[in-house]
Amino acid sequence: MSLSDRMKFILEKSGLNQKKFAERIDVSDGFISKLLKGNCKISNTTAAVIEKEFGFSKTWVLDGVEPRMVEKKELTSTQKKIIYDVENVLTEEEARAVYAYIQVQKQMKKEEKENDN
């Protein structure tokens, strides 16, 4: 499986469109387009972000070396409750609001980390 094929697979499994996927891994959608067409390579850093965000191992993303997925850590009881509520209790609009809140928290942590450096 080529890098282009692996990226198509990851994009499909993510459930995101190309633009949202690019935002999630902090690259341009033009870069994703080039990857999907096989016109460029991916950096170790971007592969690590994909591993963190989507669970596909960095070595599989880069070179196609199995295992494809990294081992997932066990979810805490709070995480399990949140997932249950998102799947069974919240409306789509409410779930989007929760997701937006999580994105704000991630951005704040990123900014704090940048300010510490």
Side-chain angles (χ1 to χ4, degrees):
M1 184 182 276
S2 69
L3 173 60
S4 173
D5 291 334
R6 290 190 301 276
M7 290 307 300
K8 289 174 186 171
F9 181 84
I10 293 166
L11 182 60
E12 178 185 320
K13 293 297 181 185
S14 76
L16 300 172
N17 65 34
Q18 191 172 313
K19 183 176 180 175
K20 293 289 184 188
F21 181 80
E23 289 173 3
R24 184 98 172 255
I25 65 169
D26 200 27
V27 297
S28 71
D29 54 337
F31 177 72
I32 297 299
S33 181
K34 287 179 183 178
L35 279 173
L36 295 174
K37 292 176 184 172
N39 294 335
C40 67
K41 297 196 182 229
I42 193 167
S43 70
N44 284 326
T45 302
T46 301
V49 172
I50 291 171
E51 179 176 284
K52 181 180 178 212
E53 291 293 319
F54 300 101
F56 292 95
S57 81
K58 184 173 117 174
T59 55
W60 183 78
V61 172
L62 290 168
D63 303 314
V65 175
E66 296 287 343
R68 181 178 294 175
M69 304 299 289
V70 293
E71 280 191 43
K72 290 187 176 183
K73 65 178 184 173
E74 186 64 31
L75 296 176
T76 67
S77 62
T78 301
Q79 290 168 325
K80 289 177 185 177
K81 289 175 188 174
I82 290 168
I83 291 168
Y84 176 85
D85 285 349
V86 168
E87 292 178 341
N88 301 295
V89 178
L90 300 180
T91 66
E92 180 65 21
E93 186 176 315
E94 292 167 334
R96 286 182 186 165
V98 169
Y99 181 74
Y101 172 78
I102 292 168
Q103 295 308 306
V104 168
Q105 293 300 310
K106 284 172 59 176
Q107 183 62 35
M108 288 173 57
K109 286 183 180 183
K110 182 179 177 183
E111 289 171 4
E112 285 176 6
K113 187 176 181 182
E114 289 172 357
N115 290 337
D116 288 344
N117 293 333

